Amino acid sequence: MKIFQQNITFRERRRGFHLITNDILQAMPQISEISAGMCQVFIQHTSASLTINENADPTVRKDFEMYFNKTVKENDPDYQHDYEGSDDMPAHLKASLLGSSVMIPIQNGRLALGTWQGIYLCEHRDRGGARGVVVTVWGV
């Protein structure tokens, strides 16, 4: 079995849902050495998250942002954790709803994503800063 791991630092991005599939593939060319295995992508933050969804129509990413902003509102007076700004606690909640990692099977040296699937970095803060991601690949 082979195991590869790479840390990636993404530059600060605006709030929203950003496709990072190509960034993952560029940072981890060793995927091509795996005929059957797994790729885990893990984000090292509590106010940003990862998910897999449609990679073709950018309105999907806009609708994701709209939905999460309506569902988890800012400036809720019941939030106790508010000293880092009005977007901080909502960002933590959104990150928990979506999750901190995704797993993708590897088949024949390629991520086994569906035709219209891509990996999103979900930035939930207005100024979240750079984001660290750990990509781990293993298999035969």
Side-chain angles (χ1 to χ4, degrees):
M1 179 178 297
K2 298 176 185 176
I3 301 174
F4 305 102
Q5 191 169 73
Q6 181 69 42
N7 293 344
I8 305 170
T9 301
F10 289 95
R11 63 172 168 68
E12 182 173 31
R13 295 172 186 232
R14 62 178 169 71
R15 185 194 296 209
F17 291 73
H18 307 278
L19 280 170
I20 60 167
T21 312
N22 288 337
D23 300 294
I24 301 300
L25 293 171
Q26 288 176 3
M28 190 58 76
Q30 298 91 338
I31 290 171
S32 66
E33 299 177 31
I34 306 293
S35 59
M38 295 298 296
C39 174
Q40 180 193 42
V41 184
F42 174 80
I43 192 162
Q44 299 175 300
H45 302 276
T46 60
S47 58
S49 57
L50 298 168
T51 195
I52 294 174
N53 217 289
E54 181 174 328
N55 66 355
D57 185 350
T59 62
V60 171
R61 295 188 294 279
K62 291 179 183 176
D63 286 345
F64 259 90
E65 180 64 16
M66 176 275 306
Y67 172 82
F68 277 95
N69 287 336
K70 284 173 58 175
T71 303
V72 184
K73 296 190 182 299
E74 293 184 18
N75 298 308
D76 186 320
D78 292 332
Y79 292 145
Q80 294 181 36
H81 179 74
D82 62 359
Y83 58 88
E84 293 181 56
S86 63
D87 66 344
D88 188 41
M89 190 60 217
H92 292 309
L93 293 170
K94 292 171 187 178
S96 286
L97 289 170
L98 286 167
S100 58
S101 69
V102 293
M103 296 276 287
I104 306 109
I106 300 170
Q107 294 178 328
N108 301 317
R110 300 179 58 127
L111 294 179
L113 290 166
T115 302
W116 305 110
Q117 287 184 320
I119 305 166
Y120 290 3
L121 186 155
C122 314
E123 177 55 67
H124 305 301
R125 302 281 323 258
D126 289 328
R127 291 174 192 82
R131 298 299 191 176
V133 169
V134 180
V135 180
T136 307
V137 169
W138 66 92
V140 294

